[in-house]
């Protein structure tokens, strides 16, 4: 059992944004996993988390039909949304959720997501009324992950709120890392594991207050967001606070490629 599994629940709704087009894995939301579409498997995880309502939001009627065939509510959304957050914003506006409604964005390619983490992030936001968003992170112990641009890091303040997200290695361990940096190169293989301060890997699961979701589409892209290609930096650029739930366990990886899909299918076959 994970350390966030014992957190008492807070009322929340869950939305699974599902865009049918995918470059690396065509029609990913409809990929069969143990007899059900992947997006349905994800929605079932959100249900198991105790969400008051679970909704699949998609730009495809085929996804909606698959959802409804398995008893999952679904809503057709516009096909021009640049991000899943924008899709959630349309849902929040159309359903007229109150400002304080907590909405969890459950990524449609996470069929192994722990329901306890979903409810944990929702409860974490409820416990931080000064924050518009809550997300999660876990400790990194591998220097190669610290230096990987594919691993998003987050630095926290004393209250556990995000100070910054980056693809760069943050915080920079000056005394530990500097000896392995030449003028023209960084010897990652020689880097020690981070010890001077915790390094956290961001987990891409978000809980929002509906108030923020209605504001988000009107916010222009921020320079730091464009630089890092991280949309959560837009919220921080405009002064919104993000509470971060820290777990020492990494969640199972999502499905991005055919190899990922086969790995997940094999896990369901073995159950």
């Amino acid at each position: 059992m994970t350390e966030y599994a014992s957190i008492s629940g807070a009322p929340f709704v869950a939305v699974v944004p599902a865009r049918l087009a995918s470059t690396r894995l065509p029609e990913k939301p409809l990929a069969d996993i143990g007899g059900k579409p992947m997006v349905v498997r994800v929605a079932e995880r959100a249900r198991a988390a105790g969400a008051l309502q679970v909704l699949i939001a998609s730009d495809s009627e085929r996804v909606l039909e698959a959802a409804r065939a398995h008893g999952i509510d679904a809503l057709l959304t516009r096909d021009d949304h640049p991000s899943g957050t924008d899709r959630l914003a349309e849902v929040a506006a159309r359903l007229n959720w109150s400002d304080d409604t907590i909405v969890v964005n459950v990524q449609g390619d996470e069929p192994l997501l722990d329901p306890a983490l979903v409810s944990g992030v929702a409860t974490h936001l409820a416990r931080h009324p000064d924050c518009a968003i809550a997300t999660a992170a876990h400790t990194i112990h591998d220097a190669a992950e610290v230096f990987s641009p594919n691993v998003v890091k987050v630095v926290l303040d004393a209250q556990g709120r995000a100070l910054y997200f980056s693809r760069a290695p943050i915080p920079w361990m000056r005394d530990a890392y500097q000896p392995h940096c030449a003028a023209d190169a960084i010897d990652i293989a020689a880097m020690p594991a981070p010890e001077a301060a915790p390094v956290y890997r961001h987990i891409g699961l978000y809980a929002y207050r509906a108030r923020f979701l209605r504001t988000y589409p009107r916010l222009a892209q921020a320079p730091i967001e464009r630089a890092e290609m991280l949309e959560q930096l837009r919220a921080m650029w405009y002064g919104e606070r993000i509470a971060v739930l820290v777990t020492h366990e990494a969640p199972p990886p999502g499905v991005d490629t055919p190899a990922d899909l086969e790995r997940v299918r094999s896990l369901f076959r073995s159950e």
Side-chain angles (χ1 to χ4, degrees):
M1 181 176 290
T2 54
E3 71 274 16
Y4 42 76
S6 62
I7 295 176
S8 59
F12 70 97
V13 298
V15 179
V16 184
R19 182 172 172 268
L20 189 60
S22 174
T23 303
R24 287 185 287 182
L25 189 59
E27 300 192 348
K28 182 165 62 172
L30 298 177
D32 181 84
I33 298 177
K36 295 180 181 179
M38 177 160 55
V39 69
V40 170
R41 291 289 186 187
V42 173
E44 290 175 340
R45 294 275 168 163
R47 272 185 175 173
L52 298 177
Q53 180 182 11
V54 177
L55 184 74
I56 292 174
S58 179
D59 57 358
S60 167
E61 286 283 2
R62 292 174 58 204
V63 172
L64 270 60
E65 290 169 3
R68 291 165 180 158
H70 290 85
I72 307 293
D73 291 337
L75 183 69
L76 185 67
T77 52
R78 300 201 322 260
D79 61 3
D80 59 349
H81 288 305
S83 72
T85 307
D86 290 284
R87 200 173 301 280
L88 256 72
E90 179 185 349
V91 173
R94 288 174 58 182
L95 298 185
N96 197 30
W97 284 326
S98 65
D99 283 355
D100 290 332
T101 299
I102 293 176
V103 185
V104 180
N105 180 351
V106 183
Q107 299 292 337
D109 57 3
E110 301 277 357
L112 301 178
L113 186 64
D114 188 344
L117 183 56
V118 176
S119 61
V121 169
T123 300
H124 201 63
L125 182 56
R127 291 180 174 177
H128 291 78
D130 61 321
C131 296
I133 305 169
T135 188
H138 68 86
T139 308
I140 300 176
H141 301 287
D142 184 351
E145 289 193 353
V146 174
F147 282 83
S148 171
N150 297 319
V151 174
V152 178
K153 277 72 66 174
V154 57
V155 173
L156 311 181
D157 68 11
Q159 284 73 45
R161 297 179 302 230
L163 287 171
Y164 191 65
F165 295 83
S166 182
R167 298 182 184 278
I170 56 172
W172 179 261
M173 311 293 178
R174 188 196 64 175
D175 293 341
Y177 296 162
Q178 208 67 29
H180 304 285
C181 299
D184 59 350
I186 296 176
D187 187 358
I188 296 176
M191 288 291 181
E195 294 181 356
V199 178
Y200 296 113
R201 177 177 187 162
H202 178 228
I203 299 169
L205 176 68
Y206 295 95
Y208 302 96
R209 297 190 192 280
R211 173 196 61 77
F212 172 77
L213 286 175
R214 279 191 280 274
T215 301
Y216 181 81
R218 301 195 296 270
L219 301 177
Q221 266 198 327
I224 54 175
E225 175 191 1
R226 289 194 295 270
E228 298 264 15
M229 295 303 293
L230 298 173
E231 66 179 83
Q232 64 268 38
L233 292 176
R234 186 185 312 182
M236 297 188 70
W237 175 263
Y238 289 100
E240 299 286 2
R241 290 175 170 175
I242 302 177
V244 181
L245 173 66
V246 175
T247 171
H248 297 294
E249 296 184 14
V255 176
D256 288 320
T257 66
D260 294 337
L261 179 59
E262 184 51 41
R263 170 182 52 79
V264 171
R265 282 172 169 167
S266 66
L267 290 173
F268 274 85
R269 284 195 294 266
S270 64
E271 290 183 348

